Structures are given as structure tokens and as C-alpha cells.
Amino acid sequence: MDDLLRETFARHEELVPVARPEFGESIAAGARRVRALRRWVVSGATFLCCALALLLVPLLATPRQGPPEAAAPGQPLNLLIIGIDRGTGEPARVNANAIVLVHVNPGARTVYEVTLPRDLTLGLPGVGPQRADGAYFLGGYRLTAEAVAAMTGLTFDGGAVVDIAGLESVTRAMGGVDLCVPECRRYEAGEAVARLRQSMGSGDDRLLHQYLAAVAKAAGDPQRLPALLTSASESLELHLGLTSLPTLAARMEGVDASKVTGIKFPAGGDGLYEAMRDGRVGAWLTAHPQYQVAGS
């Protein structure tokens, strides 16, 4: 029996074609494309979350309860936005899908975002060196913000945790959304968010502009606004520190959330954090054009 098995395996082994070198290269190239697609999908969803956070903060601040605290009208803001996805798995065991520094210059009406690498090592207070994406799991927004502040020297005016899966509830509150991809029709919540992720993953932000315009339109509808605010509050966990929501909203007034300029993460800082503290990010990017994300 043993001899028969050996002969059988030997015959089949002879029938197996020898893999050519280009076949292995093709497999490796395919794997690289898959990894690149995953990175694009995460960054696209992050960009969408940042834009929605900037758009929804003013909505959540209305109606305002009295006048906001005094604040310099053109003073820049530094925000920290963390993107998570509670769509699957145990809610208590969620890592950060993305950690994003957002710099808003209300005077110039500009918004810049820098996504920290998920495998970046952060020094967590009381914990020690850890991957950036695990900081949220270990200590939530507060511990993550403390670690990023220690690395950059920035003081954050506020921030938010955005549940990517929660964007479906925002879309559902709008009763669906009209998108042109390329044919124009109405998309239900799950399908719309999937198409948004797909389009952002390919580097096309046209659907993002359509979606944000739809959110803004829904916010102007008195019948839609209550449900929209409820779903937004469920998807958006705000962290304001000493800043009140009306004050933050007032300082962000006039900022176009759809016009976000992406900045590649500078491993050594290269002066970016100082520029964010001083409100000179535009000038810094002009002097360092290699860091601007293409197409943003």
C-alpha cells in the first residue's frame, strides 16, 4: 500500500507545472495592490469622517444656548479626530482605524489633515511605548490625545471619535441620499456608505462632495433636522475639553468641510507641529510641497 501511494503521488507531482518566475511576481504584485487598496479605503473613510465631523459640529451646537464665550475670530484650531468601526466585534475591544490631526484656519477658511500611521509608536502615559492604533483600546480618546500631544507639543482645542459604521445611521436619517455614480439615483444607507468608501478608496472625491452637500441640505430641512442631529450625536462622540460646543462651532463658521488638504505624515515632524501651533501651515506646506497629498 505504501509503495502504491508513493507511486501515485510521484505521478501527480510530475503533472504539476513548474511555476515560472513571472507567476510569483504576479502574485506579489496582486498582494501589493490589495494592501494598497486597504490603505486607500481606510484613508478615504478617515477623510470622510473628518469632513463630517467638521460639518456636523455646528449643527450639533444649534440651537445655541446664549452667546458663545469670547474667542479670537480668526484664531486657528487644532483638533484630534479618531476613526473607529464598531460594526463588528465587541464594542469594548475596538482599536482606532485612524488617528488624524486636523488644523483649521478660520481666517483663511482652510482645513488640513494629517493621518498618523497606525503602526506609529506612541509613548502612552502610565503605559509605555505602544502602537498608535492600540492606544484607543487601552485608554480611549483621552489617553490617545495625551500621547499625541506629548509627541507633537500641540494643545488640542477639541476633538471627536467618529464611528465609521455610524455613517449609515446619518444616511438613514436623511431618508437615503441621491448620488451620481455615474447614473443618478437614490441610495439607501448601507449601499451609500459602501459606495463612498469605494470611491474614496480609488482616490475620487466627487461622491464625497455630493454626500456632504446632501447632509447640508438635510440640515436645512426642519423635518429632517431632529433625526439627523440624533443620528449624528450617536455617530459622533465629542471631546471639547474647556471649549464649549457653541464656541467651537462659532470658530468653525464659514469653513468648507469638503475642502480638506491632506498632508503626508512627516516622520521627524520637519517643523509641521510648530507651524500648526503658530497657524502657519499654509506657508509651511508651500515650503514643503513634497508633503502635500496628491489631489487634495
Side-chain angles (χ1 to χ4, degrees), residues 195-263:
R195 293 309 299 263
L196 282 166
R197 280 174 163 159
Q198 181 183 16
S199 66
M200 292 302 298
S202 66
D204 185 353
D205 63 354
R206 287 175 295 179
L207 280 189
L208 171 66
H209 292 268
Q210 294 179 37
Y211 185 80
L212 292 175
V215 174
K217 182 179 179 180
D221 183 348
Q223 295 182 340
R224 296 283 188 193
L225 184 58
L228 179 62
L229 293 180
T230 299
S231 62
S233 63
E234 293 173 351
S235 308
L236 193 67
E237 175 188 307
L238 293 176
H239 293 265
L240 302 177
L242 300 177
T243 305
S244 71
L245 182 55
T247 298
L248 184 62
R251 292 176 64 186
M252 291 170 54
E253 191 171 356
V255 173
D256 188 346
S258 67
K259 296 180 180 178
V260 179
T261 299
I263 298 177

XYZ file of all heavy atoms in Angstrom, residues 195-263:
505
model
N -20.533 52.741 -1.283
C -20.080 53.426 -2.492
C -19.130 54.563 -2.143
O -18.174 54.846 -2.881
C -21.276 53.967 -3.279
C -22.186 52.894 -3.890
C -21.414 51.865 -4.706
N -20.702 52.423 -5.821
C -21.141 52.457 -7.070
N -22.325 51.939 -7.353
N -20.420 52.971 -8.036
N -19.396 55.250 -1.033
C -18.493 56.318 -0.607
C -17.114 55.767 -0.300
O -16.095 56.319 -0.728
C -19.069 57.020 0.632
C -20.193 58.025 0.374
C -20.897 58.370 1.679
C -19.652 59.285 -0.278
N -17.062 54.674 0.425
C -15.772 54.065 0.750
C -15.062 53.621 -0.526
O -13.852 53.800 -0.673
C -15.989 52.861 1.675
C -16.200 53.239 3.136
C -16.554 52.039 3.946
N -16.386 52.262 5.379
C -16.987 51.555 6.306
N -17.801 50.578 5.980
N -16.774 51.802 7.590
N -15.827 53.065 -1.444
C -15.239 52.590 -2.690
C -14.672 53.747 -3.506
O -13.552 53.660 -4.027
C -16.301 51.842 -3.504
C -15.792 51.272 -4.814
C -16.896 50.594 -5.616
O -18.075 50.780 -5.358
N -16.515 49.796 -6.586
N -15.422 54.842 -3.602
C -14.964 55.972 -4.414
C -13.759 56.647 -3.775
O -12.801 57.010 -4.462
C -16.094 56.984 -4.607
O -16.442 57.592 -3.381
N -13.777 56.803 -2.453
C -12.632 57.406 -1.782
C -11.420 56.494 -1.863
O -10.281 56.950 -1.949
C -12.975 57.693 -0.317
C -14.022 58.787 -0.129
S -13.542 60.368 -0.855
C -12.074 60.746 0.103
N -11.663 55.188 -1.850
C -10.570 54.236 -1.971
C -9.861 54.335 -3.300
O -8.667 54.043 -3.411
N -10.580 54.763 -4.324
C -9.984 54.907 -5.654
C -9.399 56.300 -5.867
O -8.887 56.602 -6.936
C -11.034 54.618 -6.733
O -12.058 55.600 -6.709
N -9.494 57.149 -4.832
C -8.944 58.496 -4.944
C -9.893 59.497 -5.579
O -9.498 60.623 -5.881
N -11.160 59.131 -5.766
C -12.145 60.018 -6.382
C -13.026 60.597 -5.275
O -13.737 59.864 -4.589
C -12.997 59.219 -7.377
C -13.970 60.094 -8.147
O -14.085 61.290 -7.830
O -14.635 59.574 -9.065
N -12.986 61.928 -5.093
C -13.740 62.529 -4.000
C -15.026 63.218 -4.470
O -15.645 63.965 -3.718
C -12.871 63.537 -3.239
C -12.447 64.712 -4.105
O -12.735 64.693 -5.309
O -11.819 65.647 -3.571
N -15.449 62.944 -5.704
C -16.662 63.592 -6.198
C -17.896 63.186 -5.405
O -18.768 64.011 -5.111
C -16.854 63.275 -7.687
C -15.883 64.012 -8.606
C -16.029 63.572 -10.046
N -15.660 62.171 -10.212
C -15.713 61.531 -11.386
N -16.132 62.169 -12.468
N -15.347 60.271 -11.477
N -17.969 61.907 -5.036
C -19.115 61.458 -4.251
C -19.111 62.089 -2.866
O -20.165 62.316 -2.283
C -19.125 59.929 -4.123
C -19.658 59.139 -5.318
C -19.808 57.680 -4.953
C -20.978 59.693 -5.802
N -17.921 62.332 -2.320
C -17.836 62.977 -1.010
C -18.514 64.341 -1.061
O -19.299 64.688 -0.169
C -16.381 63.138 -0.599
C -16.142 64.002 0.645
C -16.713 63.335 1.882
C -14.676 64.296 0.825
N -18.243 65.122 -2.103
C -18.847 66.444 -2.229
C -20.367 66.319 -2.352
O -21.107 67.100 -1.754
C -18.266 67.181 -3.438
C -16.830 67.555 -3.278
N -16.428 68.764 -2.764
C -15.683 66.874 -3.525
C -15.114 68.827 -2.718
N -14.637 67.686 -3.176
N -20.828 65.340 -3.115
C -22.262 65.129 -3.248
C -22.884 64.767 -1.899
O -23.959 65.255 -1.533
C -22.535 64.012 -4.264
C -22.148 64.332 -5.690
C -22.434 63.169 -6.625
O -23.431 62.460 -6.484
N -21.552 62.946 -7.584
N -22.198 63.897 -1.169
C -22.733 63.426 0.106
C -22.795 64.568 1.126
O -23.801 64.742 1.826
C -21.876 62.282 0.638
C -22.434 61.643 1.898
C -23.463 60.710 1.824
C -21.920 61.975 3.141
C -23.979 60.126 2.968
C -22.439 61.397 4.296
C -23.459 60.469 4.202
O -23.971 59.896 5.341
N -21.720 65.346 1.222
C -21.700 66.462 2.162
C -22.760 67.505 1.806
O -23.389 68.091 2.695
C -20.318 67.106 2.186
C -19.194 66.255 2.780
C -17.863 66.964 2.637
C -19.468 65.923 4.229
N -22.952 67.722 0.523
C -23.993 68.658 0.095
C -25.370 68.142 0.514
O -26.238 68.921 0.927
C -23.933 68.853 -1.421
N -25.563 66.822 0.438
C -26.836 66.217 0.841
C -27.055 66.367 2.348
O -28.174 66.643 2.798
C -26.873 64.746 0.446
N -25.978 66.199 3.136
C -26.096 66.377 4.590
C -26.456 67.820 4.916
O -27.319 68.096 5.759
C -24.789 65.969 5.301
C -24.868 66.291 6.787
C -24.513 64.487 5.106
N -25.783 68.759 4.251
C -26.061 70.173 4.485
C -27.505 70.525 4.108
O -28.182 71.279 4.813
C -25.084 71.039 3.693
N -27.980 69.936 3.007
C -29.360 70.183 2.574
C -30.341 69.614 3.585
O -31.350 70.256 3.921
C -29.592 69.567 1.196
C -30.994 69.808 0.637
C -31.139 69.190 -0.749
C -32.555 69.423 -1.297
N -32.714 68.830 -2.648
N -30.064 68.402 4.077
C -30.943 67.775 5.068
C -30.983 68.591 6.351
O -32.022 68.671 7.023
C -30.475 66.348 5.357
N -29.853 69.221 6.701
C -29.800 70.033 7.915
C -30.688 71.260 7.804
O -31.121 71.821 8.816
C -28.367 70.444 8.207
N -30.952 71.697 6.567
C -31.813 72.850 6.361
C -33.282 72.503 6.295
O -34.125 73.392 6.153
N -33.609 71.227 6.413
C -34.993 70.762 6.384
C -35.471 70.563 7.823
O -35.003 69.657 8.511
C -35.081 69.446 5.613
C -36.512 68.949 5.473
O -37.408 69.482 6.152
O -36.738 67.995 4.692
N -36.406 71.389 8.311
C -36.860 71.269 9.709
C -37.404 69.884 10.041
O -37.316 69.447 11.190
C -37.955 72.342 9.814
C -37.642 73.321 8.729
C -37.065 72.492 7.604
N -37.947 69.190 9.053
C -38.497 67.861 9.312
C -37.396 66.806 9.438
O -37.556 65.819 10.150
C -39.477 67.472 8.198
C -40.721 68.354 8.149
C -41.694 67.905 7.065
O -41.330 67.210 6.130
N -42.944 68.324 7.193
N -36.300 67.000 8.758
C -35.192 66.050 8.792
C -34.202 66.338 9.927
O -33.522 65.437 10.404
C -34.428 66.077 7.466
C -35.231 65.628 6.256
C -35.347 64.123 6.219
N -35.948 63.661 4.964
C -36.399 62.437 4.768
N -36.317 61.547 5.737
N -36.923 62.100 3.611
N -34.105 67.613 10.326
C -33.054 68.023 11.249
C -33.052 67.256 12.572
O -31.986 66.817 13.018
C -33.139 69.524 11.493
C -32.025 70.120 12.372
C -30.665 69.829 11.763
C -32.228 71.618 12.558
N -34.190 67.059 13.250
C -34.138 66.345 14.537
C -33.543 64.943 14.418
O -32.689 64.555 15.226
C -35.614 66.291 14.967
C -36.237 67.468 14.285
C -35.552 67.556 12.957
N -33.966 64.188 13.410
C -33.440 62.826 13.229
C -31.967 62.862 12.852
O -31.178 62.022 13.287
C -34.240 62.086 12.155
N -31.585 63.864 12.047
C -30.187 63.992 11.633
C -29.299 64.290 12.841
O -28.225 63.693 13.003
C -30.052 65.090 10.584
C -28.630 65.361 10.061
C -28.066 64.129 9.377
C -28.634 66.542 9.098
N -29.737 65.188 13.697
C -28.951 65.527 14.877
C -28.845 64.340 15.834
O -27.801 64.113 16.441
C -29.570 66.729 15.600
C -29.521 68.061 14.847
C -30.165 69.165 15.668
C -28.098 68.432 14.493
N -29.935 63.583 15.954
C -29.898 62.408 16.823
C -28.904 61.380 16.310
O -28.076 60.854 17.064
C -31.301 61.767 16.922
O -32.211 62.711 17.490
C -31.262 60.520 17.797
N -28.964 61.084 15.015
C -28.051 60.096 14.436
C -26.611 60.606 14.467
O -25.670 59.836 14.697
C -28.452 59.766 12.996
O -28.380 60.916 12.167
N -26.424 61.908 14.259
C -25.078 62.473 14.302
C -24.489 62.357 15.701
O -23.316 62.028 15.871
C -25.108 63.934 13.856
N -25.310 62.618 16.715
C -24.824 62.538 18.087
C -24.472 61.100 18.453
O -23.585 60.860 19.277
C -25.871 63.085 19.062
O -27.058 62.311 19.019
N -25.152 60.128 17.827
C -24.846 58.725 18.089
C -23.565 58.293 17.382
O -22.873 57.384 17.839
C -26.009 57.845 17.624
C -27.290 58.039 18.439
C -28.463 57.280 17.844
O -28.312 56.748 16.718
O -29.526 57.235 18.484
N -23.246 58.921 16.261
C -22.070 58.556 15.479
C -20.849 59.377 15.844
O -19.732 59.015 15.500
C -22.361 58.747 13.979
O -23.537 58.086 13.602
N -21.064 60.501 16.534
C -20.005 61.454 16.801
C -19.891 61.669 18.306
O -20.800 62.199 18.939
C -20.318 62.775 16.096
C -19.223 63.817 15.989
C -18.100 63.339 15.080
C -19.806 65.126 15.442
N -18.783 61.241 18.864
C -18.529 61.427 20.300
C -17.563 62.602 20.450
O -16.391 62.511 20.101
C -17.924 60.147 20.872
C -17.486 60.217 22.310
C -16.726 58.973 22.706
O -17.254 57.852 22.507
O -15.585 59.111 23.190
N -18.076 63.719 20.948
C -17.284 64.940 21.022
C -16.448 64.990 22.293
O -16.877 64.556 23.353
C -18.200 66.165 20.977
C -18.936 66.409 19.659
C -19.876 67.598 19.814
C -17.956 66.660 18.529
N -15.243 65.553 22.161
C -14.351 65.790 23.296
C -13.901 67.241 23.186
O -13.107 67.583 22.315
C -13.168 64.823 23.260
C -13.558 63.403 23.478
N -13.505 62.794 24.713
C -14.039 62.466 22.621
C -13.922 61.541 24.615
N -14.258 61.322 23.356
N -14.404 68.082 24.085
C -14.218 69.518 23.939
C -13.265 70.121 24.959
O -12.860 71.272 24.807
C -15.578 70.230 24.027
C -16.619 69.779 22.994
C -17.928 70.498 23.231
C -16.120 70.030 21.580
N -12.903 69.396 25.997
C -12.025 69.967 26.998
C -12.686 71.163 27.655
O -13.819 71.083 28.137
N -12.003 72.311 27.643
C -12.531 73.529 28.257
C -13.326 74.373 27.268
O -13.838 75.429 27.626
C -11.378 74.364 28.845
C -10.546 73.673 29.932
C -9.400 74.578 30.369
C -11.411 73.289 31.122
N -13.423 73.927 26.014
C -14.137 74.682 24.985
C -15.576 74.224 24.916
O -15.852 73.018 24.893
C -13.475 74.490 23.609
O -12.102 74.837 23.691
C -14.144 75.361 22.558
N -16.506 75.161 24.878
C -17.916 74.782 24.756
C -18.245 74.499 23.294
O -17.571 74.996 22.383
C -18.830 75.899 25.283
O -18.814 77.009 24.399
N -19.285 73.721 23.072
C -19.693 73.386 21.706
C -20.108 74.617 20.912
O -19.697 74.773 19.754
C -20.824 72.351 21.748
C -21.335 71.843 20.393
C -20.198 71.281 19.562
C -22.410 70.780 20.611
N -20.898 75.551 21.481
C -21.228 76.756 20.704
C -19.994 77.568 20.313
O -19.934 78.114 19.220
C -22.135 77.547 21.661
C -22.733 76.509 22.549
C -21.651 75.485 22.749
N -19.005 77.643 21.224
C -17.785 78.389 20.912
C -17.020 77.729 19.782
O -16.551 78.392 18.842
C -16.884 78.500 22.154
O -17.574 79.227 23.170
C -15.580 79.227 21.816
N -16.883 76.395 19.854
C -16.179 75.671 18.802
C -16.884 75.838 17.466
O -16.247 76.065 16.431
C -16.088 74.182 19.173
C -15.289 73.287 18.224
C -13.836 73.727 18.165
C -15.382 71.836 18.661
N -18.224 75.742 17.493
C -18.990 75.898 16.256
C -18.834 77.298 15.675
O -18.710 77.476 14.463
C -20.465 75.597 16.522
N -18.830 78.305 16.560
C -18.691 79.689 16.087
C -17.333 79.914 15.447
O -17.217 80.613 14.433
C -18.894 80.654 17.255
N -16.292 79.314 16.008
C -14.948 79.491 15.463
C -14.773 78.752 14.136
O -13.912 79.099 13.333
C -13.913 79.003 16.478
C -13.842 79.861 17.727
C -12.889 79.297 18.748
N -11.516 79.281 18.267
C -10.507 78.722 18.942
N -10.725 78.138 20.104
N -9.276 78.748 18.444
N -15.596 77.740 13.896
C -15.503 76.982 12.652
C -16.457 77.493 11.585
O -16.489 76.963 10.474
C -15.797 75.498 12.929
C -14.720 74.805 13.736
S -15.217 73.149 14.301
C -15.708 72.399 12.760
N -17.235 78.502 11.907
C -18.223 79.013 10.961
C -17.555 79.518 9.685
O -16.550 80.222 9.723
C -19.016 80.147 11.618
C -20.246 80.570 10.829
C -21.128 81.536 11.615
O -20.815 81.810 12.789
O -22.119 82.001 11.044
N -18.106 79.133 8.556
C -17.572 79.568 7.269
C -16.537 78.639 6.679
O -16.115 78.825 5.540
N -16.126 77.606 7.439
C -15.136 76.654 6.936
C -15.831 75.628 6.053
O -16.866 75.078 6.421
C -14.416 75.952 8.107
C -13.504 74.846 7.586
C -13.612 76.965 8.908
N -15.293 75.389 4.875
C -15.849 74.418 3.935
C -15.293 73.041 4.263
O -14.119 72.753 4.015
C -15.498 74.805 2.495
C -16.221 73.933 1.470
O -16.775 72.883 1.856
O -16.222 74.299 0.286
N -16.152 72.175 4.833
C -15.693 70.861 5.278
C -15.288 69.947 4.131
O -14.598 68.952 4.340
C -16.798 70.180 6.090
N -15.726 70.267 2.914
C -15.390 69.396 1.789
C -14.012 69.702 1.203
O -13.501 68.949 0.386
C -16.441 69.530 0.679
O -16.397 70.817 0.110
N -13.420 70.817 1.625
C -12.120 71.214 1.080
C -11.032 70.978 2.126
O -10.598 71.902 2.824
C -12.157 72.681 0.635
C -13.130 72.940 -0.521
C -13.146 74.403 -0.928
C -14.112 74.635 -2.083
N -14.183 76.064 -2.475
N -10.639 69.731 2.244
C -9.617 69.344 3.206
C -8.335 69.016 2.445
O -8.343 68.207 1.522
C -10.065 68.125 4.032
C -8.978 67.724 5.027
C -11.372 68.426 4.759
N -7.232 69.660 2.820
C -5.939 69.393 2.201
C -5.201 68.351 3.030
O -4.974 68.545 4.225
C -5.092 70.673 2.121
O -5.789 71.637 1.327
C -3.738 70.382 1.496
N -4.857 67.240 2.398
C -4.147 66.186 3.086
C -2.652 66.436 3.118
O -2.067 66.895 2.137
N -2.042 66.160 4.263
C -0.591 66.299 4.431
C -0.023 64.946 4.828
O -0.525 64.305 5.749
C -0.249 67.343 5.510
C -0.774 68.729 5.097
C 1.249 67.398 5.760
C -0.544 69.807 6.145
